[in-house]
Structures are given as C-alpha cells and as structure tokens.
Coordinates of all heavy atoms in Angstrom, one line a residue:
E480 N 81.7 -111.2 89.2 CA 81.7 -111.2 87.7 C 80.5 -110.5 87.2 O 79.3 -110.7 87.6 CB 81.6 -112.7 87.2 CG 81.8 -112.8 85.7 CD 81.4 -114.1 85.1 OE1 81.2 -115.1 86.0 OE2 81.3 -114.3 83.9
K481 N 80.7 -109.5 86.3 CA 79.6 -108.7 85.8 C 79.0 -109.3 84.6 O 79.7 -109.6 83.6 CB 80.2 -107.3 85.4 CG 81.0 -106.6 86.4 CD 80.2 -106.2 87.6 CE 81.1 -105.3 88.6 NZ 80.4 -105.1 89.9
E482 N 77.8 -109.6 84.6 CA 77.1 -110.2 83.5 C 76.2 -109.3 82.7 O 75.7 -109.6 81.7 CB 76.3 -111.4 84.0 CG 77.3 -112.6 84.3 CD 76.9 -113.5 85.4 OE1 76.8 -113.1 86.6 OE2 76.5 -114.6 85.1
I483 N 76.0 -108.1 83.4 CA 75.1 -107.1 82.8 C 75.9 -105.8 82.6 O 76.7 -105.5 83.6 CB 73.9 -106.9 83.6 CG1 73.0 -108.2 83.7 CG2 73.0 -105.8 83.0 CD1 71.8 -108.1 84.6
F484 N 75.8 -105.2 81.5 CA 76.5 -103.9 81.3 C 75.5 -102.8 80.9 O 74.6 -103.0 80.1 CB 77.5 -104.1 80.1 CG 78.1 -102.8 79.6 CD1 79.1 -102.2 80.2 CD2 77.6 -102.2 78.5 CE1 79.7 -101.0 79.8 CE2 78.1 -101.0 78.0 CZ 79.2 -100.4 78.7
V485 N 75.6 -101.7 81.6 CA 74.7 -100.6 81.3 C 75.5 -99.3 81.2 O 76.1 -98.8 82.1 CB 73.6 -100.3 82.4 CG1 72.7 -99.2 82.0 CG2 72.8 -101.6 82.6
A486 N 75.7 -98.8 79.9 CA 76.2 -97.5 79.7 C 75.1 -96.5 80.0 O 74.0 -96.6 79.5 CB 76.7 -97.3 78.3
S487 N 75.4 -95.6 80.9 CA 74.4 -94.7 81.5 C 74.8 -93.3 81.6 O 76.0 -92.9 81.3 CB 74.1 -95.3 82.9 OG 73.1 -94.6 83.6
K488 N 73.8 -92.4 81.9 CA 74.2 -91.0 82.3 C 73.4 -90.7 83.5 O 72.3 -91.1 83.7 CB 73.9 -90.0 81.2 CG 74.9 -90.2 79.9 CD 74.7 -89.2 78.9 CE 75.7 -89.5 77.7 NZ 75.7 -88.5 76.6
T489 N 74.1 -90.0 84.5 CA 73.5 -89.8 85.8 C 72.1 -89.0 85.7 O 71.2 -89.2 86.5 CB 74.4 -89.0 86.7 OG1 74.9 -87.8 86.0 CG2 75.6 -89.8 87.1
Y490 N 72.0 -88.1 84.7 CA 70.8 -87.3 84.7 C 69.7 -87.9 83.7 O 68.7 -87.2 83.4 CB 71.2 -85.9 84.2 CG 72.0 -85.9 82.9 CD1 71.4 -86.0 81.7 CD2 73.4 -85.6 82.9 CE1 72.1 -86.0 80.5 CE2 74.1 -85.7 81.8 CZ 73.5 -85.8 80.6 OH 74.2 -85.8 79.4
C491 N 70.0 -89.1 83.2 CA 69.1 -89.6 82.1 C 67.9 -90.4 82.7 O 68.1 -91.4 83.4 CB 69.9 -90.5 81.2 SG 68.9 -91.5 80.1
P492 N 66.7 -89.9 82.6 CA 65.6 -90.6 83.2 C 65.4 -92.1 82.7 O 64.9 -92.9 83.4 CB 64.4 -89.7 82.8 CG 64.8 -88.9 81.7 CD 66.3 -88.7 81.8
Y493 N 65.7 -92.3 81.4 CA 65.5 -93.6 80.9 C 66.6 -94.6 81.5 O 66.3 -95.8 81.6 CB 65.8 -93.6 79.3 CG 64.9 -92.6 78.6 CD1 65.4 -91.4 78.2 CD2 63.5 -92.9 78.4 CE1 64.5 -90.5 77.6 CE2 62.6 -92.0 77.9 CZ 63.2 -90.8 77.4 OH 62.3 -89.9 76.8
C494 N 67.7 -94.0 81.8 CA 68.7 -94.8 82.5 C 68.2 -95.2 84.0 O 68.4 -96.3 84.4 CB 70.1 -94.1 82.6 SG 70.7 -93.7 81.0
H495 N 67.7 -94.2 84.6 CA 67.1 -94.5 86.0 C 66.1 -95.5 85.9 O 66.0 -96.4 86.7 CB 66.6 -93.1 86.5 CG 67.6 -92.1 86.8 ND1 67.2 -90.8 87.1 CD2 68.9 -92.1 86.7 CE1 68.4 -90.0 87.2 NE2 69.4 -90.8 87.0
A496 N 65.2 -95.4 84.9 CA 64.1 -96.4 84.7 C 64.7 -97.8 84.5 O 64.2 -98.8 85.1 CB 63.2 -96.0 83.6
A497 N 65.7 -97.9 83.7 CA 66.3 -99.2 83.3 C 67.0 -99.8 84.6 O 66.8 -101.0 84.9 CB 67.3 -99.1 82.2
L498 N 67.7 -99.0 85.3 CA 68.5 -99.5 86.5 C 67.5 -99.9 87.6 O 67.7 -100.8 88.3 CB 69.5 -98.4 87.0 CG 70.7 -98.2 86.0 CD1 71.5 -97.0 86.4 CD2 71.5 -99.4 85.8
N499 N 66.4 -99.1 87.7 CA 65.4 -99.4 88.7 C 64.7 -100.7 88.3 O 64.4 -101.5 89.3 CB 64.3 -98.2 88.7 CG 63.2 -98.5 89.7 OD1 63.5 -98.6 90.9 ND2 62.0 -98.6 89.2
T500 N 64.5 -101.0 87.1 CA 63.9 -102.3 86.7 C 64.8 -103.4 87.0 O 64.4 -104.4 87.6 CB 63.6 -102.3 85.1 OG1 62.6 -101.3 84.9 CG2 63.2 -103.6 84.6
L501 N 66.1 -103.3 86.7 CA 67.1 -104.3 87.0 C 67.2 -104.6 88.5 O 67.0 -105.7 89.0 CB 68.4 -104.0 86.4 CG 68.4 -104.1 84.9 CD1 69.8 -103.6 84.4 CD2 68.2 -105.5 84.3
F502 N 67.4 -103.5 89.3 CA 67.8 -103.7 90.7 C 66.5 -103.8 91.6 O 66.6 -104.7 92.5 CB 68.5 -102.4 91.2 CG 69.9 -102.3 90.6 CD1 70.4 -101.1 90.0 CD2 70.8 -103.4 90.5 CE1 71.7 -101.0 89.5 CE2 72.1 -103.3 89.9 CZ 72.5 -102.1 89.4
Q503 N 65.5 -103.0 91.4 CA 64.3 -103.1 92.2 C 63.3 -104.1 91.8 O 62.9 -104.9 92.6 CB 63.6 -101.7 92.3 CG 64.5 -100.5 92.6 CD 65.3 -100.5 93.8 OE1 64.9 -101.1 94.8 NE2 66.5 -100.0 93.8
K504 N 62.9 -104.1 90.5 CA 61.8 -104.9 90.0 C 62.3 -106.4 89.8 O 61.6 -107.3 90.2 CB 61.2 -104.4 88.7 CG 60.6 -103.0 88.9 CD 59.5 -102.8 87.9 CE 58.7 -101.5 88.2 NZ 59.3 -100.3 87.6
M505 N 63.5 -106.5 89.3 CA 64.0 -107.9 88.9 C 65.0 -108.4 90.0 O 65.4 -109.5 89.9 CB 64.7 -107.9 87.6 CG 63.8 -107.3 86.4 SD 62.2 -108.1 86.2 CE 62.6 -109.8 85.6
N506 N 65.3 -107.6 91.0 CA 66.1 -108.0 92.1 C 67.5 -108.5 91.7 O 68.1 -109.4 92.3 CB 65.4 -109.1 93.0 CG 64.4 -108.5 93.8 OD1 64.7 -107.6 94.5 ND2 63.2 -109.1 93.8
V507 N 68.1 -107.9 90.7 CA 69.5 -108.2 90.3 C 70.4 -107.6 91.3 O 70.3 -106.4 91.6 CB 69.7 -107.7 88.9 CG1 71.2 -108.0 88.5 CG2 68.8 -108.3 87.8
P508 N 71.3 -108.4 91.8 CA 72.3 -107.8 92.7 C 73.2 -106.8 92.1 O 73.6 -107.0 90.9 CB 73.1 -109.1 93.2 CG 72.4 -110.2 92.8 CD 71.6 -109.9 91.6
K509 N 73.6 -105.8 92.8 CA 74.5 -104.8 92.2 C 75.8 -105.4 91.7 O 76.4 -104.9 90.7 CB 74.9 -103.8 93.3 CG 73.7 -102.9 93.8 CD 73.7 -101.5 93.3 CE 72.3 -100.9 93.3 NZ 71.9 -99.8 93.9
S510 N 76.3 -106.4 92.3 CA 77.5 -107.1 92.0 C 77.6 -107.6 90.6 O 78.6 -107.9 90.0 CB 77.9 -108.1 93.0 OG 76.9 -109.1 92.9
K511 N 76.4 -107.9 90.0 CA 76.2 -108.5 88.7 C 76.2 -107.5 87.6 O 76.2 -107.8 86.3 CB 74.9 -109.3 88.6 CG 74.8 -110.4 89.6 CD 75.7 -111.6 89.3 CE 75.5 -112.7 90.2 NZ 76.4 -113.8 89.9
V512 N 76.2 -106.2 87.9 CA 75.9 -105.1 86.9 C 77.1 -104.2 86.9 O 77.4 -103.5 87.9 CB 74.6 -104.4 87.1 CG1 74.3 -103.5 86.0 CG2 73.5 -105.4 87.3
L513 N 77.7 -103.9 85.7 CA 78.7 -102.9 85.5 C 78.0 -101.7 84.9 O 77.4 -101.7 83.8 CB 79.8 -103.4 84.5 CG 80.8 -102.3 84.1 CD1 81.6 -101.8 85.3 CD2 81.7 -102.9 83.0
V514 N 77.9 -100.6 85.7 CA 77.3 -99.4 85.3 C 78.3 -98.4 85.0 O 79.1 -98.0 85.9 CB 76.2 -98.8 86.4 CG1 75.6 -97.6 85.8 CG2 75.2 -99.9 86.7
L515 N 78.4 -97.9 83.8 CA 79.3 -96.8 83.4 C 78.6 -95.6 83.3 O 77.7 -95.5 82.4 CB 80.1 -97.1 82.1 CG 81.1 -98.2 82.1 CD1 81.8 -98.2 80.7 CD2 82.1 -98.2 83.2
Q516 N 78.8 -94.6 84.2 CA 78.2 -93.3 84.0 C 79.0 -92.4 83.1 O 80.0 -91.8 83.5 CB 78.0 -92.6 85.4 CG 77.2 -93.4 86.4 CD 75.7 -93.4 86.1 OE1 75.3 -93.0 85.0 NE2 74.9 -93.9 87.0
L517 N 78.7 -92.4 81.9 CA 79.5 -91.8 80.8 C 79.8 -90.4 81.0 O 80.9 -89.8 80.7 CB 78.9 -92.0 79.4 CG 78.7 -93.5 79.0 CD1 78.2 -93.6 77.6 CD2 80.1 -94.3 79.0
N518 N 78.8 -89.7 81.6 CA 79.0 -88.2 81.7 C 80.0 -87.9 82.9 O 80.4 -86.7 82.9 CB 77.6 -87.5 82.0 CG 77.0 -88.0 83.2 OD1 76.7 -89.2 83.4 ND2 76.7 -87.1 84.2
E519 N 80.3 -88.9 83.6 CA 81.3 -88.6 84.7 C 82.6 -89.1 84.3 O 83.6 -89.0 85.2 CB 80.8 -89.4 86.0 CG 79.5 -88.9 86.5 CD 79.1 -89.5 87.9 OE1 79.5 -90.7 88.1 OE2 78.5 -88.8 88.7
M520 N 82.8 -89.6 83.1 CA 84.1 -90.2 82.6 C 84.8 -89.2 81.7 O 84.1 -88.7 80.8 CB 83.9 -91.5 82.1 CG 83.3 -92.5 83.0 SD 82.8 -94.0 82.2 CE 84.4 -94.6 81.8
K521 N 86.1 -89.1 81.8 CA 86.9 -88.3 80.9 C 86.7 -88.7 79.4 O 86.6 -87.9 78.5 CB 88.3 -88.3 81.4 CG 89.4 -88.1 80.5 CD 90.7 -87.9 81.1 CE 91.5 -89.2 81.4 NZ 91.6 -90.2 80.4
D522 N 86.7 -90.1 79.2 CA 86.6 -90.6 77.9 C 85.2 -91.2 77.6 O 85.0 -92.0 76.7 CB 87.6 -91.7 77.7 CG 87.6 -92.7 78.7 OD1 86.8 -92.6 79.7 OD2 88.4 -93.7 78.6
G523 N 84.2 -90.7 78.3 CA 82.8 -91.1 78.1 C 82.3 -91.0 76.7 O 81.6 -91.8 76.1
V524 N 82.7 -89.9 76.1 CA 82.2 -89.6 74.7 C 82.8 -90.7 73.7 O 82.2 -91.1 72.8 CB 82.7 -88.2 74.3 CG1 82.5 -87.9 72.8 CG2 81.9 -87.1 75.1
D525 N 84.1 -91.0 74.0 CA 84.7 -92.0 73.1 C 84.1 -93.4 73.3 O 83.9 -94.2 72.4 CB 86.2 -92.2 73.5 CG 87.0 -90.9 73.2 OD1 86.5 -90.1 72.4 OD2 88.0 -90.7 74.0
I526 N 83.7 -93.7 74.5 CA 83.0 -95.0 74.8 C 81.7 -95.0 74.1 O 81.2 -96.0 73.5 CB 82.9 -95.2 76.3 CG1 84.2 -95.4 77.0 CG2 82.0 -96.4 76.6 CD1 84.3 -95.5 78.5
Q527 N 81.0 -93.9 74.2 CA 79.6 -93.8 73.5 C 79.8 -94.0 72.0 O 79.0 -94.7 71.3 CB 79.0 -92.4 73.8 CG 77.5 -92.4 73.6 CD 76.8 -91.2 74.2 OE1 77.5 -90.4 74.9 NE2 75.6 -91.0 74.0
A528 N 80.9 -93.4 71.4 CA 81.2 -93.6 70.0 C 81.5 -95.0 69.7 O 81.1 -95.6 68.6 CB 82.3 -92.6 69.6
A529 N 82.3 -95.7 70.5 CA 82.6 -97.1 70.3 C 81.4 -98.0 70.4 O 81.2 -98.9 69.6 CB 83.6 -97.5 71.4
L530 N 80.5 -97.7 71.3 CA 79.2 -98.4 71.4 C 78.4 -98.3 70.2 O 77.8 -99.2 69.7 CB 78.4 -98.0 72.7 CG 79.0 -98.5 74.0 CD1 78.3 -97.7 75.2 CD2 78.8 -100.0 74.1
Y531 N 78.4 -97.1 69.6 CA 77.7 -96.9 68.4 C 78.3 -97.7 67.2 O 77.5 -98.3 66.5 CB 77.6 -95.4 68.0 CG 76.9 -95.1 66.7 CD1 75.6 -95.2 66.6 CD2 77.6 -94.6 65.6 CE1 74.9 -95.0 65.5 CE2 77.0 -94.4 64.4 CZ 75.6 -94.6 64.3 OH 74.9 -94.4 63.2
Q532 N 79.6 -97.8 67.2 CA 80.2 -98.7 66.2 C 79.8 -100.1 66.4 O 79.6 -100.8 65.4 CB 81.8 -98.5 66.3 CG 82.3 -97.2 65.8 CD 82.0 -96.8 64.4 OE1 82.0 -97.7 63.5 NE2 81.6 -95.6 64.2
L533 N 79.7 -100.5 67.6 CA 79.5 -101.9 67.9 C 78.0 -102.3 67.7 O 77.7 -103.4 67.1 CB 79.7 -102.2 69.5 CG 81.2 -102.4 69.8 CD1 81.2 -102.5 71.4 CD2 81.7 -103.7 69.2
N534 N 77.1 -101.4 68.1 CA 75.6 -101.9 68.1 C 74.7 -100.9 67.4 O 73.5 -101.1 67.4 CB 75.2 -102.3 69.5 CG 75.4 -101.1 70.5 OD1 75.0 -100.0 70.1 ND2 75.8 -101.3 71.7
G535 N 75.3 -99.8 66.8 CA 74.4 -98.9 66.1 C 73.5 -98.0 66.9 O 72.7 -97.3 66.4
Q536 N 73.7 -98.0 68.3 CA 72.9 -97.3 69.2 C 73.7 -96.1 69.8 O 74.7 -96.3 70.4 CB 72.3 -98.2 70.3 CG 71.3 -97.5 71.2 CD 71.0 -98.3 72.4 OE1 71.0 -99.5 72.4 NE2 70.7 -97.6 73.5
R537 N 73.1 -94.9 69.6 CA 73.8 -93.7 70.2 C 73.3 -93.3 71.6 O 74.1 -92.6 72.3 CB 73.4 -92.5 69.3 CG 74.2 -92.4 68.0 CD 73.8 -91.1 67.3 NE 74.3 -91.1 65.9 CZ 75.6 -91.0 65.6 NH1 76.5 -90.7 66.4 NH2 75.9 -91.0 64.3
T538 N 72.2 -93.8 71.9 CA 71.6 -93.3 73.2 C 71.9 -94.1 74.4 O 72.3 -95.3 74.2 CB 70.0 -93.2 73.0 OG1 69.6 -94.5 72.7 CG2 69.6 -92.2 72.0
V539 N 71.8 -93.5 75.5 CA 71.9 -94.3 76.8 C 70.5 -94.4 77.4 O 69.6 -93.4 77.2 CB 72.8 -93.6 77.8 CG1 74.3 -93.7 77.4 CG2 72.5 -92.1 78.1
P540 N 70.1 -95.4 78.1 CA 71.0 -96.5 78.5 C 71.3 -97.4 77.2 O 70.5 -97.6 76.4 CB 70.2 -97.3 79.5 CG 68.7 -97.0 79.2 CD 68.8 -95.6 78.7
N541 N 72.5 -98.0 77.2 CA 72.9 -99.0 76.2 C 73.2 -100.3 77.0 O 74.2 -100.3 77.7 CB 74.1 -98.4 75.4 CG 74.4 -99.1 74.2 OD1 74.2 -100.4 74.1 ND2 74.8 -98.4 73.2
I542 N 72.4 -101.2 76.8 CA 72.3 -102.4 77.7 C 72.8 -103.7 77.1 O 72.3 -104.0 76.0 CB 70.9 -102.6 78.4 CG1 70.4 -101.3 79.0 CG2 70.9 -103.7 79.3 CD1 68.9 -101.2 79.3
Y543 N 73.6 -104.4 77.7 CA 73.9 -105.8 77.3 C 73.6 -106.7 78.5 O 73.9 -106.4 79.7 CB 75.5 -106.0 77.1 CG 75.9 -105.5 75.7 CD1 76.2 -104.1 75.5 CD2 76.1 -106.3 74.7 CE1 76.6 -103.7 74.3 CE2 76.5 -105.9 73.4 CZ 76.8 -104.5 73.2 OH 77.2 -104.1 72.0
I544 N 73.1 -107.9 78.2 CA 72.9 -109.0 79.2 C 73.6 -110.2 78.6 O 73.2 -110.7 77.6 CB 71.4 -109.2 79.5 CG1 70.7 -108.0 80.0 CG2 71.3 -110.4 80.5 CD1 69.2 -108.1 80.3
N545 N 74.6 -110.7 79.4 CA 75.4 -111.9 78.9 C 75.8 -111.8 77.5 O 75.5 -112.7 76.6 CB 74.5 -113.2 79.1 CG 74.4 -113.6 80.5 OD1 75.4 -113.4 81.3 ND2 73.3 -114.2 80.9
D546 N 76.4 -110.6 77.1 CA 77.0 -110.4 75.8 C 75.9 -110.2 74.7 O 76.2 -110.1 73.5 CB 78.0 -111.6 75.3 CG 79.1 -111.7 76.3 OD1 79.5 -110.7 76.8 OD2 79.6 -112.8 76.4
K547 N 74.7 -110.2 75.1 CA 73.6 -110.0 74.1 C 73.2 -108.5 74.2 O 72.8 -108.0 75.3 CB 72.4 -110.9 74.4 CG 71.2 -110.8 73.5 CD 70.1 -111.7 74.1 CE 68.7 -111.2 73.6 NZ 68.4 -111.5 72.2
H548 N 73.3 -107.8 73.1 CA 72.8 -106.4 73.1 C 71.3 -106.3 73.2 O 70.6 -106.9 72.4 CB 73.3 -105.7 71.8 CG 72.9 -104.3 71.8 ND1 72.2 -103.6 70.8 CD2 73.3 -103.3 72.7 CE1 72.0 -102.4 71.1 NE2 72.7 -102.1 72.2
I549 N 70.8 -105.7 74.2 CA 69.4 -105.6 74.5 C 68.8 -104.3 73.8 O 67.8 -104.3 73.3 CB 69.2 -105.5 76.0 CG1 69.7 -106.8 76.7 CG2 67.7 -105.2 76.3 CD1 69.1 -108.1 76.3
G550 N 69.6 -103.2 73.9 CA 69.1 -101.9 73.4 C 69.0 -100.9 74.5 O 69.8 -100.9 75.4
G551 N 67.9 -100.1 74.5 CA 67.7 -99.1 75.5 C 66.6 -99.5 76.5 O 66.2 -100.7 76.6
N552 N 66.1 -98.5 77.2 CA 65.1 -98.8 78.2 C 63.8 -99.3 77.6 O 63.2 -100.2 78.1 CB 64.8 -97.5 79.1 CG 63.8 -97.8 80.1 OD1 63.9 -98.7 80.9 ND2 62.7 -97.1 80.1
D553 N 63.4 -98.7 76.4 CA 62.2 -99.2 75.8 C 62.3 -100.7 75.5 O 61.3 -101.5 75.7 CB 62.0 -98.5 74.4 CG 61.7 -97.1 74.5 OD1 61.3 -96.6 75.6 OD2 61.8 -96.4 73.5
D554 N 63.4 -101.1 75.0 CA 63.7 -102.5 74.7 C 63.6 -103.4 75.9 O 63.1 -104.5 75.9 CB 65.0 -102.7 74.0 CG 65.1 -101.8 72.7 OD1 64.3 -102.1 71.8 OD2 65.9 -100.8 72.7
L555 N 64.3 -102.9 77.0 CA 64.3 -103.6 78.3 C 62.8 -103.8 78.8 O 62.5 -104.9 79.2 CB 65.1 -102.9 79.3 CG 65.4 -103.6 80.6 CD1 66.3 -104.8 80.5 CD2 65.9 -102.6 81.7
Q556 N 62.1 -102.8 78.7 CA 60.7 -102.9 79.3 C 59.8 -103.8 78.4 O 59.0 -104.5 78.9 CB 60.0 -101.5 79.3 CG 60.7 -100.5 80.3 CD 60.9 -101.0 81.7 OE1 60.1 -101.8 82.2 NE2 62.0 -100.5 82.3
E557 N 60.1 -103.8 77.1 CA 59.3 -104.7 76.3 C 59.7 -106.2 76.6 O 58.8 -107.0 76.7 CB 59.7 -104.4 74.8 CG 58.7 -105.1 73.8 CD 59.0 -104.7 72.4 OE1 59.3 -103.4 72.1 OE2 59.0 -105.6 71.5
L558 N 61.0 -106.4 76.8 CA 61.4 -107.8 77.2 C 60.8 -108.2 78.6 O 60.5 -109.4 78.8 CB 62.9 -107.9 77.3 CG 63.7 -107.8 76.0 CD1 65.2 -107.9 76.3 CD2 63.3 -109.0 75.1
R559 N 60.6 -107.2 79.4 CA 60.0 -107.5 80.8 C 58.6 -107.9 80.6 O 58.1 -108.9 81.2 CB 60.2 -106.3 81.7 CG 59.6 -106.5 83.0 CD 60.1 -105.5 84.0 NE 59.4 -105.7 85.3 CZ 58.3 -104.9 85.7 NH1 58.0 -103.9 85.0 NH2 57.7 -105.2 86.8
E560 N 57.9 -107.2 79.7 CA 56.5 -107.5 79.5 C 56.2 -108.8 78.9 O 55.2 -109.5 79.2 CB 55.8 -106.3 78.6 CG 55.4 -105.1 79.5 CD 55.4 -103.8 78.7 OE1 55.1 -103.9 77.5 OE2 55.7 -102.8 79.3
T561 N 57.1 -109.3 78.0 CA 56.9 -110.6 77.3 C 57.5 -111.7 78.2 O 57.3 -112.9 77.8 CB 57.7 -110.6 76.0 OG1 59.0 -110.5 76.3 CG2 57.2 -109.5 75.0
G562 N 58.1 -111.4 79.3 CA 58.7 -112.4 80.1 C 60.1 -112.9 79.7 O 60.7 -113.7 80.4
E563 N 60.6 -112.3 78.6 CA 61.9 -112.7 78.1 C 63.0 -112.3 79.0 O 64.1 -112.9 79.1 CB 62.1 -112.2 76.7 CG 61.3 -112.9 75.6 CD 61.4 -112.2 74.3 OE1 62.4 -112.3 73.6 OE2 60.4 -111.4 74.0
L564 N 62.8 -111.1 79.7 CA 63.8 -110.6 80.6 C 64.0 -111.5 81.7 O 65.2 -111.8 82.1 CB 63.4 -109.2 81.1 CG 64.4 -108.5 82.0 CD1 65.8 -108.3 81.3 CD2 63.9 -107.2 82.5
E565 N 63.0 -112.1 82.3 CA 63.1 -113.0 83.4 C 63.9 -114.2 83.0 O 64.8 -114.7 83.7 CB 61.7 -113.4 83.8 CG 61.7 -114.0 85.2 CD 60.3 -114.2 85.8 OE1 59.3 -113.8 85.1 OE2 60.1 -114.7 86.9
E566 N 63.7 -114.7 81.7 CA 64.4 -115.8 81.2 C 65.9 -115.5 81.0 O 66.8 -116.3 81.3 CB 63.8 -116.3 79.8 CG 62.7 -117.2 79.9 CD 62.1 -117.5 78.5 OE1 62.9 -117.6 77.6 OE2 60.9 -117.6 78.4
L567 N 66.2 -114.3 80.5 CA 67.6 -113.9 80.3 C 68.3 -113.8 81.7 O 69.5 -114.1 81.7 CB 67.6 -112.5 79.6 CG 67.3 -112.6 78.1 CD1 67.2 -111.1 77.6 CD2 68.4 -113.3 77.3
L568 N 67.6 -113.4 82.7 CA 68.2 -113.1 84.0 C 68.3 -114.4 84.8 O 69.1 -114.4 85.8 CB 67.4 -112.1 84.8 CG 67.4 -110.7 84.2 CD1 66.5 -109.8 85.0 CD2 68.8 -110.1 84.1
E569 N 67.6 -115.4 84.5 CA 67.6 -116.7 85.3 C 68.9 -117.2 85.6 O 69.3 -117.4 86.7 CB 66.8 -117.7 84.5 CG 65.8 -118.5 85.4 CD 64.7 -119.2 84.6 OE1 65.1 -120.1 83.9 OE2 63.6 -118.8 84.7
P570 N 69.8 -117.4 84.5 CA 71.1 -118.0 84.9 C 72.0 -117.0 85.7 O 72.8 -117.4 86.5 CB 71.8 -118.2 83.5 CG 71.0 -117.4 82.5 CD 69.6 -117.3 83.1
I571 N 71.7 -115.7 85.6 CA 72.5 -114.7 86.4 C 72.1 -114.8 87.9 O 72.9 -114.7 88.7 CB 72.3 -113.3 85.8 CG1 72.9 -113.3 84.4 CG2 72.9 -112.2 86.7 CD1 72.6 -112.0 83.6
L572 N 70.8 -114.9 88.0 CA 70.2 -114.9 89.4 C 70.5 -116.2 90.1 O 70.4 -116.3 91.3 CB 68.7 -114.5 89.4 CG 68.4 -113.1 88.9 CD1 66.9 -112.9 88.8 CD2 69.1 -112.0 89.8
A573 N 70.7 -117.3 89.3 CA 70.9 -118.6 89.9 C 72.3 -118.7 90.5 O 72.5 -119.7 91.3 CB 70.7 -119.6 88.8
N574 N 73.3 -117.9 90.1 CA 74.6 -118.2 90.7 C 75.1 -116.9 91.4 O 74.5 -115.8 91.5 CB 75.6 -118.7 89.7 CG 75.9 -117.6 88.6 OD1 76.0 -116.4 88.9 ND2 76.1 -118.1 87.4
Ligands
GSH1258 N1 64.1 -94.6 73.7 C1 65.4 -94.5 74.4 C2 65.3 -95.5 75.6 O1 64.3 -96.0 75.9 O2 66.4 -95.9 76.0 C3 65.6 -93.1 74.9 C4 67.0 -92.9 75.4 C5 67.4 -91.4 75.3 O3 66.7 -90.6 74.7 N2 68.5 -91.0 76.0 C6 69.1 -89.8 75.9 C7 70.4 -89.8 75.1 O4 71.1 -90.8 75.1 C8 69.5 -89.3 77.4 S1 68.1 -89.1 78.4 N3 70.7 -88.7 74.4 C9 71.9 -88.6 73.6 C10 73.1 -88.5 74.4 O5 73.1 -88.3 75.6 O6 74.2 -88.6 73.8

C-alpha cells in the first residue's frame, strides 16, 4: 500500500533531494512510496495540470503523505527540521 505520493521529474534536483530525504534519511521503504516520473509519462503534463487544480502547486516535487498535501522539497525539509516529518511518518514506518 502506497502511503506517500511524489510527483517527480528525473532531472529535477529538488525531487532528488526530497526522495533522498524520504528513502535515505528517514528510511522509508520503497514499497510505501508511489513515485511518478512525470517527464517519462505520455500524460505527465496532464497529471501536473490536475495536481495544480488540486493543490495550487505547479512545481515538482509535489508531495503527499497520507492524503495530506505537503508541498515541495522546501516544505518537506522544513517539516524535517521541526520534527513534524518524523511524526507524519511514524504510522507508515510502524506497519
Ligand atoms: N521550491 C521548490 C521545491 O523546493 O520543491 C522548487 C521546485 C522546482 O523549482 N522544480 C522545478 C519545476 O517544477 C523542476 S527542478 N519546474 C516547473 C516544471 O517542471 O513544470
């Protein structure tokens, strides 16, 4: 079951940083994260437009944790610094 969603682009350094934080720093298993590489998808542009309609954010990474819109890499790093990311990930890492 995927509990984290990251709309990404393969060449985007902010995406790399966000995925590195989740996988390396926070030890989230790959199986918990749905990563969509939009630039590799035929309808990636449409998905990006749909995400903008949903959450007002045009840029990647566009991150959700347990249905909560987190934002981009800046937002993720801020949550990590305040300890809120650890709290959000707790139920995901527990099962
Ligand atoms: N402050 C943002 C963050 O931390 O996530 C920066 C994200 C950003 O600038 N991403 C670029 C982007 O989405 C790609 S590296 N550009 C528009 C696009 O690709 O449609």
Side-chain angles (χ1 to χ4, degrees):
E480 190 192 348
K481 309 292 188 190
E482 286 149 290
I483 300 177
F484 169 81
V485 183
S487 183
K488 292 188 181 180
T489 51
Y490 53 76
C491 169
Y493 306 103
C494 299
H495 296 171
L498 293 172
N499 183 59
T500 293
L501 291 172
F502 293 132
Q503 313 299 329
K504 298 204 169 89
M505 305 306 289
N506 283 312
V507 177
K509 295 253 155 123
S510 60
K511 301 285 187 182
V512 187
L513 174 62
V514 181
L515 289 189
Q516 298 291 8
L517 298 181
N518 61 303
E519 295 185 330
M520 299 170 67
K521 158 170 83 47
D522 52 358
V524 170
D525 299 333
I526 293 173
Q527 203 169 352
L530 285 168
Y531 178 67
Q532 292 300 318
L533 280 174
N534 59 41
Q536 184 191 328
R537 282 187 192 282
T538 54
V539 289
N541 196 321
I542 306 166
Y543 281 82
I544 298 178
N545 283 327
D546 299 329
K547 180 183 158 71
H548 183 238
I549 300 300
N552 181 57
D553 290 347
D554 304 294
L555 185 73
Q556 298 308 327
E557 196 176 314
L558 289 179
R559 181 165 174 256
E560 278 155 29
T561 62
E563 286 169 80
L564 182 59
E565 202 169 355
E566 279 176 33
L567 286 170
L568 293 176
E569 224 163 65
I571 297 173
L572 296 175
N574 67 37

